[in-house]
Amino acid sequence: MPMFKFSPRPAAGITGMLLLGVAAMAMIGCNPGGREAKGFLRACEAGDAVACNEFGLRLLRGEHVLRDVARAAGMFEQACDAGVAPSCARLAALYQTGRGVDRDSARATALYGRACDGGAFDGCISLGILYRDGASVPQDFDRAAELFERACDGGNATGCTRLGALYAAGQGVGRDLARAARLYQQTCDGDVMEGCIELGRLYAAGSGVPRDPARAGDLYRQACDGHEAAGCFLLGGLYATGEGVTPDVERAAELYHDACRDGHGEACYALGMLRLNGPEVVRRPAEAATWIRRACGYHYEPACSNEGG
């Protein structure tokens, strides 16, 4: 377990001295969670870098302590400097978004690299996304694929999902839909619902796997049950068309509603169009414009140009 000593630092910036002491103790409650947080604080002050990371998480989330993102950043910096790789990834995310610290993309990139090199695979994924998207670094699909593969090989299912997407698109690796399907299956088995959805899309299209709408429906249902709005929307589409499932337009409307409630703009639009033009059992023209406007509010552009919106 990495150990270090706190030392006085300049007052400016997150590297300033962390004045925890009595003031920090006062904000921690006496419930079990509060006592645990107090234990992390005391261990951190005694030189336990992992405890600093844990206390930083509680400050970041406001769990049994007053939420204080700037103080959390300081805790993560102390722990990162002591070699706690997950703290480097968390501090990088704060620099990337400008939460609790001044936004600094270059600093975020460097910290994600430190996290990844230290075995924090979330850092590899975040750095890979920067290279994939060309955000704050030159776009480099080869580098993104390398980073996602490192995370995937380390057992991080989200890394496998990101790598699968590159194989599906042929970005940074040769296009290989069968390999993408295997990676998505791996991530779906690891309860990453995005992997279930993407695998379902492949089965629905017969890309890299035999076409099997029923299997696609099972995967979309798994994602929907896992509270993934896109899964509910796609499953609703199958019920609307009767592909791979028994046609049930009322069930389709219910699924569109659930996905819309969770912020899926295209689902809101699909529900609006069902209410406007669907079979009589689901047609409610007076409601249609409401759902179409909501779709536009969720930035689904076709809804914004629809006369009903």
Side-chain angles (χ1 to χ4, degrees):
M1 178 180 296
M3 305 293 287
F4 68 97
K5 294 181 178 180
F6 281 105
S7 57
R9 299 185 178 210
I14 69 166
T15 58
M17 179 64 176
L18 297 176
L19 303 175
L20 299 174
V22 175
M25 290 290 191
M27 68 183 183
I28 302 176
C30 297
N31 56 64
R35 287 194 294 273
E36 181 182 52
K38 187 180 293 186
F40 285 132
L41 174 56
R42 286 172 172 163
C44 176
E45 290 178 319
D48 183 342
V50 173
C52 294
N53 177 67
E54 292 298 328
F55 189 67
L57 278 173
R58 282 151 182 78
L59 288 168
L60 183 65
R61 299 168 179 166
E63 292 179 355
H64 308 292
V65 297
L66 293 177
R67 187 168 182 270
D68 189 333
V69 180
R71 188 185 293 273
M75 301 298 290
F76 293 147
E77 183 180 43
Q78 293 282 1
C80 177
D81 287 348
V84 180
S87 280
C88 300
R90 291 178 180 121
L91 182 59
L94 296 182
Y95 272 111
Q96 185 179 3
T97 57
R99 295 176 59 214
V101 293
D102 292 335
R103 188 173 182 181
D104 187 334
S105 296
R107 177 76 171 136
T109 300
L111 284 163
Y112 283 136
R114 284 178 63 184
C116 183
D117 290 342
F121 296 120
D122 285 347
C124 301
I125 293 167
S126 295
L127 185 58
I129 290 170
L130 294 183
Y131 278 107
R132 181 197 67 189
D133 297 344
S136 76
V137 293
Q139 190 171 57
D140 186 339
F141 289 117
D142 290 347
R143 178 67 173 140
E146 175 191 333
L147 288 160
F148 294 152
E149 187 167 23
R150 189 188 304 185
C152 181
D153 289 347
N156 187 297
T158 299
C160 299
T161 303
R162 298 287 179 262
L163 183 60
L166 294 186
Y167 273 106
Q171 296 174 322
V173 291
R175 190 166 189 255
D176 187 339
L177 291 169
R179 173 70 173 145
R182 290 193 297 272
L183 286 163
Y184 289 146
Q185 183 67 68
Q186 184 176 338
T187 63
C188 184
D189 290 343
D191 291 328
V192 176
M193 295 300 105
E194 184 182 354
C196 301
I197 290 169
E198 295 306 323
L199 182 59
R201 291 183 194 273
L202 294 183
Y203 274 108
S207 300
V209 292
R211 188 172 185 275
D212 189 341
R215 173 70 174 140
D218 289 340
L219 289 160
Y220 296 155
R221 186 175 294 105
Q222 183 175 343
C224 183
D225 290 345
H227 307 291
E228 185 65 46
C232 299
F233 166 67
L234 291 165
L235 183 59
L238 294 185
Y239 275 108
T241 61
E243 191 168 21
V245 296
T246 303
D248 187 339
V249 72
E250 291 180 283
R251 179 63 178 145
E254 291 171 357
L255 287 161
Y256 289 154
H257 180 274
D258 290 345
C260 177
R261 179 193 59 203
D262 290 337
H264 195 287
E266 191 173 358
C268 300
Y269 184 69
L271 179 58
M273 297 308 290
L274 268 186
R275 296 304 190 207
L276 185 65
N277 299 317
E280 186 175 353
V281 69
V282 294
R283 191 183 307 155
R284 299 175 191 168
E287 285 185 17
T290 297
W291 299 113
I292 294 171
R293 281 195 297 270
R294 185 172 297 185
C296 180
Y298 288 140
H299 309 292
Y300 183 65
E301 290 304 320
C304 300
S305 59
N306 187 286
E307 291 182 1

